[in-house]
């Protein structure tokens, strides 16, 4: 415990130095109006479609019931690093160019640092809006890699930085504390990461400057693997099983080949494994629930809660057995792309639920809007949903679609355990069910409008495989209606997808197919993509 006290005192000394500097820099900048504070709590792999919010009773009460819950919140890409890059930049993956969780895929690479980090919304909050900023937890999957500057690299925009080296862990990890390595072991009382993040966040709230608004981003490891629960929660949910929804352990016979290759029914050992993983995921979330409660109570005690927006969300969803895929998050379906999003704060009435369509590219613009920064000065693709939260926008004037895109990964050599599948696959389970492949590369238009709740997806492969779902009639996405949908709708959705895949900034916010302002002129189809449309027409005949 002496070591723990030393680390805490060192933390506070450095923090006070930082805060003192900020106080001098900002003296005279504060007036009678105090801009709102913002807290963003980001979980890792937390679904909403298969019950991920069930263990989070305190969070639902303290944030959801106290504010607004979005039932149509989606991610721009269902994988950690591309999604987190979209949150930070407000951009779709085709604009920030992070395509997977590897350095080669631009995850926390030096190229990413040079091109994007100076323009993230926290950097703008600090540089132009005068916010003191605090980060604690998982940043990007390759953060801290020697080829990306190591833990010495502190991304611009953060007054105080506590970054986890690489991917989610609960014990035996390294933190970058303002650029200096801090190693942790396996003792619960001082090393369990979710609790460490909670304690450091409380310290920040206690010792930060009182003269500036603040932004906090707390990025927990839970419920990402290795699913290590706190000791007091290790025996919870012993009888819980993964939900047996209509799409659980069924053959996706009308879907992309990667889904069709899954073995149905799954082996008993696979079902037991995913049920066990499901329980472990829930157990890790109980510590996240505690973290949320501690932060809200501390803000309340300090008299800052009423002037603070608190966002709670995830970087992507997750699946456990849907369409006989054991466990992962790289697919286009609702369980992987839909995420929880709850917000409380000034001018947000409690107990609200919104069906309006929002995406993680909107988080940065919304937080900048809260801070009074003009989002139009940025190159962000997303849009502020602050007016939605304040009840100033109705559904008829809100956007009707967003883009989801993913670039698949595979290996150049065959998996020795699954030689019959050949090269090009990855994330394979012992029974040779693979969760990813090179041609698991797709883009989707997700539409939510008064007259349509639709998903349209195209794969970038030789087939130009298409999947279309009527989410109102078929919420579990059991029936691909690509071959029966009206030809005109198909062409319009293809056109809209091409527009979104090439959009940037304001052009990403133009009217969608089901917006009355949408104008479709077949003569304006992208000539460079005409081969895709012709293949599409041939396929649908």
């Amino acid at each position: 415990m002496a070591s723990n006290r030393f680390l805490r005192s060192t933390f506070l000394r450095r923090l006070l130095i930082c805060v003192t500097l900020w106080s001098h820099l900002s003296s005279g900048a504060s007036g009678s109006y105090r801009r709102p504070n913002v807290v963003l709590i980001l979980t890792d792999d937390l679904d909403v479609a298969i019950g991920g919010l069930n263990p989070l009773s305190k969070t639902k009460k303290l944030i959801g019931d106290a504010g607004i819950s979005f039932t149509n919140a989606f991610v721009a890409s269902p994988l950690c690093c591309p999604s987190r890059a979209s949150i930070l930049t407000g951009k779709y993956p085709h604009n920030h160019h992070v395509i997977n969780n590897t350095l080669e895929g631009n995850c926390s690479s030096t190229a990413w640092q040079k091109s994007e980090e100076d323009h993230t919304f926290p950097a703008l909050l600090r540089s132009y809006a005068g916010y003191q900023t605090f980060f604690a937890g998982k940043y990007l999957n390759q953060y801290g890699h020697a080829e990306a500057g190591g833990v010495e690299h502190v991304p611009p925009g953060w007054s105080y930085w506590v970054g986890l080296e690489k991917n989610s862990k609960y014990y035996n990890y390294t933190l970058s504390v303002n650029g200096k390595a801090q190693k942790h072991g396996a003792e619960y009382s001082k090393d369990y990461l979710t609790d460490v993040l909670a304690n450091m966040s409380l310290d920040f709230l206690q010792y930060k400057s009182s003269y500036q608004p603040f932004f906090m981003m707390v990025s927990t490891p839970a419920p990402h693997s290795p699913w290590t629960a706190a000791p007091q929660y290790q025996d919870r949910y012993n009888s819980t099983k993964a939900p047996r929804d209509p799409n659980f352990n069924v053959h996706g016979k009308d879907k992309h080949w990667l889904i069709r290759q899954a073995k149905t029914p799954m082996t008993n050992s696979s079902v037991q494994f995913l049920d066990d993983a499901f329980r472990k995921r829930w157990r890790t979330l109980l510590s996240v629930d505690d973290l949320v409660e501690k932060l809200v109570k501390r803000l309340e005690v300090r008299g800052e809660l009423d002037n603070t927006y608190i966002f709670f969300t995830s970087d992507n969803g997750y699946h456990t057995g849907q369409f006989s895929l054991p466990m992962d998050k790289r697919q286009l379906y609702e369980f992987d792309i839909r995420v929880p999003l709850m917000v409380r704060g000034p001018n947000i009435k409690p107990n609200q639920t919104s069906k309006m369509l929002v995406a993680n590219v909107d988080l940065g613009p919304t937080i900048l809007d809260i801070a009074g920064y003009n989002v139009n000065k940025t190159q962000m693709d997303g849009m502020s949903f602050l007016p939605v939260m304040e009840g100033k926008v109705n559904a008829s004037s809100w956007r009707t679609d967003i883009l989801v895109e993913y670039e698949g990964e595979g290996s150049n050599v065959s998996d020795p355990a699954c030689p019959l599948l050949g090269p090009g696959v990855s994330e394979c389970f012992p029974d040779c069910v693979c969760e990813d492949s090179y041609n698991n590369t797709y883009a989707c238009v997700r539409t939510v409008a008064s007259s349509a709740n639709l998903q349209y997806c195209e794969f970038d492969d030789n087939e130009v495989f298409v999947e279309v779902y009527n989410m109102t009639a078929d919420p579990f996405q059991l029936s691909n209606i690509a071959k029966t949908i009206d030809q005109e709708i198909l062409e319009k959705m293809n056109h809209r997808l091409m527009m979104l895949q090439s959009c940037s900034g304001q052009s990403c916010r133009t009217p969608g197919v089901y917006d009355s302002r949408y104008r479709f002129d077949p003569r304006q189809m992208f000539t460079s993509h005409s081969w895709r449309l012709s293949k599409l027409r041939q396929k649908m005949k």
Side-chain angles (χ1 to χ4, degrees):
M1 296 303 293
S3 173
N4 193 30
R5 285 195 298 272
F6 171 76
L7 290 173
R8 180 71 66 87
S9 64
T10 301
F11 173 93
L12 295 180
R13 282 199 303 272
R14 291 172 180 165
L15 183 60
L16 285 169
I17 292 170
C18 177
V19 164
T20 301
L21 287 171
W22 262 103
S23 297
H24 285 303
L25 287 171
S26 64
S27 59
S30 60
S32 58
Y33 168 69
R34 273 299 303 272
R35 280 168 295 165
N37 310 306
V38 182
V39 176
L40 171 59
I41 301 167
L42 179 65
T43 52
D44 197 346
D45 286 1
L46 176 61
D47 66 274
V48 71
I50 58 173
L53 285 179
N54 287 13
L56 295 162
S57 57
K58 299 172 187 175
T59 301
K60 288 186 288 185
K61 178 181 178 181
L62 293 171
I63 302 180
D65 293 350
I68 187 168
S69 298
F70 289 89
T71 58
N72 286 309
F74 294 90
V75 294
S77 188
L79 187 62
C80 297
C81 205
S83 178
R84 288 164 183 268
S86 286
I87 291 171
L88 291 164
T89 63
K91 296 179 180 179
Y92 286 122
H94 69 262
N95 286 328
H96 63 58
H97 306 297
V98 177
I99 59 172
N100 57 44
N101 291 341
T102 68
L103 274 178
E104 295 75 18
N106 206 26
C107 180
S108 204
S109 67
T110 53
W112 150 267
Q113 293 168 20
K114 291 176 182 177
S115 64
E116 300 296 336
E117 278 191 338
D118 281 327
H119 311 290
T120 62
F121 79 86
L124 297 175
L125 281 176
R126 186 182 183 191
S127 298
Y128 298 105
Y131 275 63
Q132 52 191 323
T133 55
F134 170 87
F135 180 89
K138 176 179 172 179
Y139 179 60
L140 300 174
N141 296 57
Q142 296 300 326
Y143 172 76
H145 195 289
E147 294 180 21
V151 295
E152 294 78 18
H153 171 69
V154 176
W158 302 103
S159 315
Y160 200 86
W161 173 260
V162 183
L164 174 67
E165 181 187 40
K166 298 185 180 176
N167 208 357
S168 284
K169 290 184 177 181
Y170 298 82
Y171 293 112
N172 299 308
Y173 54 85
T174 298
L175 295 175
S176 167
V177 180
N178 283 346
K180 293 188 177 180
Q182 184 185 97
K183 294 187 180 297
H184 283 258
E187 186 177 333
Y188 170 71
S189 62
K190 63 179 182 180
D191 296 316
Y192 189 69
L193 182 55
T194 307
D195 291 353
V196 168
L197 299 180
N199 291 334
M200 288 185 162
S201 300
L202 294 176
D203 285 344
F204 172 76
L205 291 176
Q206 190 68 28
Y207 294 101
K208 65 178 174 57
S209 168
S210 297
Y211 300 101
Q212 292 172 278
F214 66 84
F215 168 68
M216 292 178 62
M217 183 170 177
V218 186
S219 183
T220 72
H224 195 286
S225 61
W227 314 307
T228 310
Q232 67 269 30
Y233 297 133
Q234 286 178 353
D235 293 325
R236 297 286 293 273
Y237 307 118
N238 282 335
S239 61
T240 299
K241 293 182 178 181
R244 266 52 171 176
D245 289 331
N247 55 11
F248 179 83
N249 202 10
V250 299
H251 187 219
K253 58 183 181 299
D254 59 2
K255 293 170 173 51
H256 178 53
W257 81 270
L258 190 63
I259 309 301
R260 299 197 301 267
Q261 58 88 35
K263 294 178 173 60
T264 306
M266 292 182 286
T267 62
N268 289 337
S269 60
S270 289
V271 174
Q272 290 172 5
F273 180 71
L274 68 86
D275 277 339
D276 185 51
F278 190 88
R279 287 187 285 271
K280 290 177 178 177
R281 282 166 49 80
W282 273 22
R283 290 168 186 153
T284 66
L285 288 169
L286 295 173
S287 294
V288 176
D289 213 29
D290 293 340
L291 177 151
V292 171
E293 182 183 43
K294 290 173 185 176
L295 289 180
V296 172
K297 284 188 173 180
R298 179 62 58 87
L299 288 165
E300 187 172 27
V301 167
R302 291 180 55 83
E304 295 179 308
L305 184 60
D306 289 343
N307 196 38
T308 301
Y309 289 86
I310 304 176
F311 293 72
F312 182 91
T313 190
S314 175
D315 59 358
N316 48 254
Y318 206 72
H319 59 258
T320 52
Q322 284 66 40
F323 302 124
S324 297
L325 297 173
M327 288 183 304
D328 199 51
K329 62 280 183 103
R330 292 167 169 84
Q331 304 305 325
L332 58 90
Y333 307 104
E334 295 286 284
F335 40 75
D336 287 354
I337 66 172
R338 186 190 290 268
V339 291
L341 176 59
M342 299 178 284
V343 192
R344 67 172 292 169
N347 302 317
I348 300 178
K349 294 178 181 178
N351 296 305
Q352 288 191 80
T353 299
S354 174
K355 295 181 179 179
M356 291 197 216
L357 181 63
V358 295
N360 62 352
V361 293
D362 301 329
L363 289 170
T366 303
I367 293 170
L368 289 174
D369 194 10
I370 288 170
Y373 186 82
N374 186 352
V375 180
N376 291 329
K377 291 182 178 180
T378 74
Q379 297 298 312
M380 293 182 175
D381 304 330
M383 55 195 293
S384 170
F385 54 83
L386 178 60
V388 174
M389 297 193 292
E390 294 181 337
K392 296 177 179 178
V393 173
N394 58 41
S396 63
S397 59
W398 190 244
R399 67 136 74 90
T400 60
D401 61 23
I402 52 122
L403 174 69
V404 179
E405 49 192 351
Y406 177 71
E407 186 162 330
E409 293 181 80
S411 173
N412 291 326
V413 296
S414 298
D415 186 327
C418 309
L420 294 179
L421 290 174
V425 296
S426 64
E427 307 297 321
C428 297
F429 280 77
D431 51 0
C432 295
V433 177
C434 299
E435 297 275 6
D436 206 4
S437 66
Y438 283 131
N439 63 355
N440 183 40
T441 296
Y442 56 81
C444 304
V445 179
R446 184 64 177 89
T447 293
V448 176
S450 58
S451 58
N453 188 1
L454 191 70
Q455 185 179 26
Y456 173 91
C457 301
E458 288 183 21
F459 281 83
D460 187 10
D461 58 15
N462 291 333
E463 291 183 285
V464 191
F465 196 84
V466 177
E467 296 190 30
V468 184
Y469 298 97
N470 179 341
M471 301 304 303
T472 301
D474 182 21
F476 294 100
Q477 296 172 288
L478 299 172
S479 300
N480 178 8
I481 59 172
K483 292 185 178 181
T484 58
I485 195 169
D486 183 85
Q487 182 74 23
E488 183 181 355
I489 294 177
L490 197 70
E491 290 191 4
K492 285 182 176 180
M493 296 305 289
N494 171 269
H495 178 245
R496 181 60 177 158
L497 181 62
M498 296 302 105
M499 291 178 65
L500 285 174
Q501 281 191 281
S502 60
C503 77
S504 178
Q506 177 62 40
S507 64
C508 296
R509 305 190 287 273
T510 53
V513 170
Y514 287 88
D515 189 311
S516 59
R517 296 166 293 176
Y518 178 78
R519 296 292 178 264
F520 173 59
D521 184 350
R523 294 170 298 180
Q524 293 179 349
M525 297 294 286
F526 292 91
T527 55
S528 61
H529 294 288
S530 59
W531 68 274
R532 293 179 70 169
L533 185 60
S534 62
K535 273 209 161 192
L536 203 60
R537 287 172 173 153
Q538 292 170 11
K539 182 178 176 58
M540 297 304 132
K541 287 178 180 178

